[in-house]
């Protein structure tokens, strides 16, 4: 399959999905932020001065997923029907994992929305904790799984889905 975001002259274009049929589509992405022990403990104990870090980051992740088309030029505006952001704290890594699952009934998938949701959620954790540690590291952002559409179900081997 060739790249679909270019016209016959090599210019970037939005993919025309007019003729595609609506299907239920879902995508889950994952990422993590690695933090200092002080940040990890403060997040776990709810002692960050700016408030409930993971609660605010959940809202930010959902907002990010909903606004993906405003950030990624060739993304379609999608009527998202569900978005869920989940976190898991892993003490032995001093890491906070984030998953974002986005669902839509439409003509195109929601992979970019799930990836954007994870990214914005983790950036929000960084923002809320940067007074304690400016060396936090965000990484490992990738698609775990997508369903629906012409390509059906695609799973990323080695990427754990949330519980």
């Amino acid at each position: 399959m060739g790249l679909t975001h270019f016209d016959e002259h090599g210019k970037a274009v939005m993919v025309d999905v007019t003729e595609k049929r609506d299907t239920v589509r879902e995508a889950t992405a994952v990422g993590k932020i690695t933090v200092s022990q002080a940040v990890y403990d403060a997040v776990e104990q709810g002692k960050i001065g700016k408030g409930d870090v993971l609660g605010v980051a959940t809202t930010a992740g959902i907002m990010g997923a909903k606004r993906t088309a405003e950030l990624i030029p060739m993304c379609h505006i999608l009527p998202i029907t569900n978005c869920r952001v989940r976190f898991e704290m892993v003490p032995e890594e001093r890491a906070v994992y984030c998953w974002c699952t986005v669902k839509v009934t439409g003509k195109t998938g929601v992979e970019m929305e799930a990836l954007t949701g994870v990214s914005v959620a983790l950036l929000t954790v960084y923002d809320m904790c940067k007074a304690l540690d400016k060396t936090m590291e965000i990484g490992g952002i990738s698609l775990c799984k997508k369903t629906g559409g012409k390509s059906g179900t695609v799973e990323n081997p080695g990427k754990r889905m949330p519980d």
Side-chain angles (χ1 to χ4, degrees):
M1 175 182 208
L3 296 175
T4 56
H5 283 83
F6 298 98
D7 68 12
E8 63 276 1
H9 307 291
K11 303 282 187 202
V13 296
M14 180 182 263
V15 174
D16 184 354
V17 296
T18 306
E19 301 303 318
K20 293 174 93 177
R21 65 182 186 88
D22 285 349
T23 62
V24 175
R25 298 157 184 267
E26 184 173 277
T28 299
V30 65
K32 75 174 182 176
I33 185 166
T34 306
V35 301
S36 67
Q37 190 65 53
V39 169
Y40 188 91
D41 293 343
V43 170
E44 188 174 53
Q45 296 164 15
K47 294 188 175 182
I48 296 289
K50 290 185 174 183
D52 175 9
V53 173
L54 301 184
V56 172
T58 297
T59 300
I62 293 168
M63 290 175 67
K66 290 169 54 175
R67 301 191 74 167
T68 298
E70 295 174 34
L71 301 169
I72 311 295
M74 300 304 168
C75 281
H76 293 83
I77 297 170
L78 298 178
I80 293 172
T81 58
N82 193 19
C83 182
R84 183 168 181 210
V85 175
R86 289 161 278 191
F87 292 95
E88 179 184 328
M89 297 187 68
V90 181
E92 55 274 6
E93 296 180 43
R94 288 189 337 269
V96 180
Y97 282 80
C98 176
W99 289 267
C100 180
T101 301
V102 182
K103 195 170 186 179
V104 69
T105 299
K107 298 173 183 285
T108 188
V110 287
E111 295 96 314
M112 294 307 300
E113 287 73 11
L115 290 162
T116 300
V118 164
S119 299
V120 171
L122 292 173
L123 286 166
T124 300
V125 172
Y126 185 99
D127 178 57
M128 293 187 73
C129 300
K130 68 185 179 216
L132 291 176
D133 179 14
K134 290 180 178 42
T135 65
M136 294 175 280
E137 186 174 315
I138 296 171
I141 298 171
S142 61
L143 183 70
C144 295
K145 182 178 180 179
K146 66 143 293 270
T147 61
K150 187 170 141 184
S151 58
T153 298
V154 175
E155 295 188 56
N156 191 346
K159 296 297 176 183
R160 183 171 65 85
M161 292 289 287
D163 297 329

